[in-house]
Amino acid sequence: ALRALAMGYPDRVCVAHDVSERRYVMVGGEPLALAHESVVRNARLLVAPVIAGQTRNRDTIGAVASRGLIRMASHIERDWLDELYPGRRTREVVVDFDDTRERVMAHERELFDGICLAESVVSVDASADPAQVARLLAQKASLNLERAFGLSADDQRFLQRLDRLRQWFPELELPELLEHDAEAGDDATASILLQICWGKRGFDGLRRVDLPQVLRGYLNHDQLRTLDEHVPDRYQVPSGSQIRIDYPPGEPPVLAVRIQEIFGMAKTPTVARGQVPLVLHLLAPNYRPVQVTQDLESFWQNTYPEIRKEYRSRYPRHPWPDDPMSAPAIRK
C-alpha cells in the first residue's frame, strides 16, 4: 500500500532538510514543512499527497521564511527508489572550497531528481581535475592574499612595492603577478597566482611559499633593478641607519625616523627617480611623531626651533643643536 501511494505521486517526493524541525525539500526545490499533527516521525524520505496552506518560521539566520504545509504524508524507504523510480537516482562529485578548513574539498552526492539524499567526503586527488582545484584555490586566495599566504608585514610591504612599481613605471610592463580573473575559466592558466596554486589543496600549502622570492623570479633584470633602486625597501639616513619605507595603499610612501638621525639632511628624500617625495614622520627620542612633512627644508627653518625649545628639557641626554645642518647625525 505504501509503495502504491508513492507510485501515485512521483512529483511529490520530499527529502528531509531538517528532520527535527520537520523541514523538507520537494522534487523541484520547493521548501515544505510537515504539519505537527502528522503521525509520520523522523522520516528522511516521504511523499506528500496533500499540500495545503503555509507555515511561517525563522531560519538559521533569523529571517522569517514561508513554507508550504504538508497535510498528508507517507514514509518512503530509500531502497524503494530504484524500484519505484528507475533511473531517477544519480550520483555526482562536487568540488568546492571549504572556508572553515581553508582547503578545496570534494563531496560525492547521491541525488534524486536533483535533490540531495546523502553526501560524503571523497579524495580530491581521485575525484577532481587538477586545473579546477587550482582555479578554486586561486579564486579564494585572490580575495584575501594576507590570509591565504599568511603574509608577514615585510611580505605585505613587498607586494605594496610591486604595486608602486607598476604605477610609477608603466613602461616596464610588469606582469600581472597576483591578479586572478574568476570569470576567465581555462584562460586563467596564464595567471601567475594560478601557477603558484597548482598542485596545492589549501591555504596550508600556500603558507609554505616564500611569496616575495617566488614573485621576484617572475621579474626580469630591468624590473628587479628598478624595484630595488627606485622603490626601495629601506632608505639610508645620515646616521647610517637603514630605515624602512612604508608604502600604504593610495597614500604617499612614508619614512618614520628620529630627528637626531637626519641632522645634516637638507632636502626631503625621494623615490621613483626623484619624482615622489617621502612623507617624513619625524620622531622624538621616544619614537613618537612630533611633525609630519614633505618639506624638510621648511621644517628646519620654521618648526625645528620651536621643537628644540620644548624637547631639549625633556630629553637633555639627546642633542638639540642650534644648527642641525652642521651637527653630526647619531643613531642613539
Side-chain angles (χ1 to χ4, degrees), residues 110-234:
E110 181 186 358
L111 305 174
F112 179 80
D113 276 10
I115 56 177
C116 185
L117 301 175
E119 183 177 291
S120 59
V121 177
V122 294
S123 167
V124 172
D125 292 336
S127 307
D129 177 4
Q132 180 187 12
V133 174
R135 282 197 299 272
L136 281 172
L137 185 55
Q139 289 167 14
K140 283 295 181 178
S142 68
L143 299 177
N144 191 334
L145 295 173
E146 180 180 354
R147 172 187 167 196
F149 286 91
L151 299 179
S152 67
D154 287 343
D155 294 338
Q156 293 179 61
R157 193 166 60 256
F158 179 80
L159 297 185
Q160 291 162 359
R161 290 171 60 209
L162 288 178
D163 285 340
R164 297 305 173 89
L165 183 67
R166 178 182 289 108
Q167 175 187 344
W168 293 337
F169 300 96
E171 69 277 7
L172 292 177
E173 298 182 347
L174 199 70
E176 298 294 331
L177 296 172
L178 291 175
E179 291 73 11
H180 181 75
D181 184 357
E183 305 298 327
D186 292 336
D187 291 339
T189 53
S191 163
I192 291 173
L193 178 57
L194 193 72
Q195 295 174 37
I196 295 173
C197 291
W198 194 272
K200 300 175 180 61
R201 301 290 174 264
F203 289 175
D204 56 339
L206 296 181
R207 288 168 185 155
R208 292 192 287 270
V209 174
D210 185 345
L211 190 60
Q213 187 63 33
V214 170
L215 294 181
R216 288 182 73 93
Y218 284 96
L219 304 181
N220 62 36
H221 175 74
D222 287 342
Q223 292 164 344
L224 283 173
R225 180 180 56 79
T226 305
L227 175 68
D228 293 336
E229 292 182 5
H230 300 293
V231 194
D233 181 55
R234 294 178 180 271

Side-chain angles (χ1 to χ4, degrees), residues 29-322:
E30 181 180 353
L32 299 172
L34 181 61
H36 285 284
E37 59 267 25
S38 174
V39 297
V40 176
R41 294 288 187 272
N42 301 320
R44 290 287 301 168
L45 286 165
L46 54 77
V47 292
V50 179
I51 302 171
Q54 295 280 322
T55 182
R56 293 171 62 83
N57 49 39
R58 294 188 179 276
D59 58 21
T60 56
I61 61 173
V64 176
S66 296
R67 291 173 176 265
L69 193 60
I70 302 173
R71 291 294 187 181
M72 180 183 293
S74 179
H75 173 72
I76 300 177
E77 296 290 346
R78 184 184 293 186
D79 294 343
W80 299 355
L81 293 177
D82 289 335
E83 172 192 343
L84 301 177
Y85 314 108
R88 292 172 63 180
R89 186 161 61 158
T90 59
R91 292 182 180 274
E92 70 174 11
V93 174
V94 177
V95 181
D96 205 348
F97 190 87
D98 188 316
D99 289 313
T100 301
R101 299 183 182 183
E102 297 186 327
R103 63 183 296 105
V104 177
M105 301 289 291
H107 297 83
E108 184 177 60
R109 293 176 178 174
E110 181 186 358
L111 305 174
F112 179 80
D113 276 10
I115 56 177
C116 185
L117 301 175
E119 183 177 291
S120 59
V121 177
V122 294
S123 167
V124 172
D125 292 336
S127 307
D129 177 4
Q132 180 187 12
V133 174
R135 282 197 299 272
L136 281 172
L137 185 55
Q139 289 167 14
K140 283 295 181 178
S142 68
L143 299 177
N144 191 334
L145 295 173
E146 180 180 354
R147 172 187 167 196
F149 286 91
L151 299 179
S152 67
D154 287 343
D155 294 338
Q156 293 179 61
R157 193 166 60 256
F158 179 80
L159 297 185
Q160 291 162 359
R161 290 171 60 209
L162 288 178
D163 285 340
R164 297 305 173 89
L165 183 67
R166 178 182 289 108
Q167 175 187 344
W168 293 337
F169 300 96
E171 69 277 7
L172 292 177
E173 298 182 347
L174 199 70
E176 298 294 331
L177 296 172
L178 291 175
E179 291 73 11
H180 181 75
D181 184 357
E183 305 298 327
D186 292 336
D187 291 339
T189 53
S191 163
I192 291 173
L193 178 57
L194 193 72
Q195 295 174 37
I196 295 173
C197 291
W198 194 272
K200 300 175 180 61
R201 301 290 174 264
F203 289 175
D204 56 339
L206 296 181
R207 288 168 185 155
R208 292 192 287 270
V209 174
D210 185 345
L211 190 60
Q213 187 63 33
V214 170
L215 294 181
R216 288 182 73 93
Y218 284 96
L219 304 181
N220 62 36
H221 175 74
D222 287 342
Q223 292 164 344
L224 283 173
R225 180 180 56 79
T226 305
L227 175 68
D228 293 336
E229 292 182 5
H230 300 293
V231 194
D233 181 55
R234 294 178 180 271
Y235 185 88
Q236 183 170 319
V237 295
S239 68
S241 296
Q242 297 281 343
I243 307 295
R244 184 187 69 203
I245 302 174
D246 290 319
Y247 295 86
E251 299 178 18
V254 173
L255 183 72
V257 58
R258 290 188 309 123
I259 293 174
Q260 282 74 20
E261 297 210 49
I262 59 168
F263 289 157
M265 180 187 287
K267 300 291 185 180
T268 303
T270 60
V271 292
R273 296 196 180 111
Q275 300 302 307
V276 179
L278 301 181
V279 174
L280 296 174
H281 288 204
L282 302 178
L283 312 178
N286 63 355
Y287 289 91
R288 292 184 178 180
V290 296
Q291 182 73 13
V292 175
T293 183
Q294 281 185 303
D295 189 346
L296 189 57
E297 185 175 9
S298 175
F299 168 77
W300 291 129
Q301 293 177 358
N302 303 311
T303 309
Y304 173 76
E306 298 301 319
I307 290 175
R308 176 178 176 271
K309 291 178 184 179
E310 178 180 353
Y311 282 88
R312 66 179 176 177
S313 58
R314 289 194 197 181
Y315 302 100
R317 297 176 60 184
H318 294 78
W320 300 95
D322 289 330

